[in-house]
Amino acid sequence: MTMTIWQGAITIVTVVLGTMCTRFLPFLVFPESKQPPRIIEYFGQVLPYAMTGLLVVYALRNTPILTGSHGLPELIACTVIVLLHVWKRNMLLSIAGGTIVYMLLVQLVFLRHPTR
């Protein structure tokens, strides 16, 4: 299905407005001069860890542990991520390093045969 020019423009404007609201609204609702509610401070402390756990579960949910490489590339990559993060305390480095290790493992070591 192809969108008309007007539909495309409306879609772009809607996405821009939605993005701007989610980016700017917190600063309008909770200005720096005012103390935010305790529940907001609590969420600010616990939600990053909860989201990280959620992403790990989502990423590993279909890992085959009973066939093939038994999830070994995933386990090695997760170990690299944890070790890099403990060593350097840099989230971007940890994720990039783990991704590179995982891709090298599945492309060069644990060759996966495409299904036909």
Side-chain angles (χ1 to χ4, degrees), residues 48-62:
Y49 299 108
M51 289 305 300
T52 302
L54 192 92
L55 288 171
V56 168
V57 169
Y58 179 78
L60 298 176
R61 74 189 186 288
N62 292 328

Side-chain angles (χ1 to χ4, degrees), residues 63-104:
T63 301
I65 58 172
L66 300 176
T67 61
S69 60
H70 306 290
L72 210 51
E74 291 85 353
L75 180 65
I76 294 169
C78 286
T79 304
V80 168
I81 291 170
V82 169
L83 291 175
L84 277 173
H85 192 70
V86 167
W87 178 41
K88 287 292 186 179
R89 296 275 184 221
N90 185 326
M91 187 71 75
L92 186 60
L93 174 69
S94 305
I95 294 171
T99 302
I100 291 168
V101 166
Y102 175 75
M103 295 312 289
L104 288 172

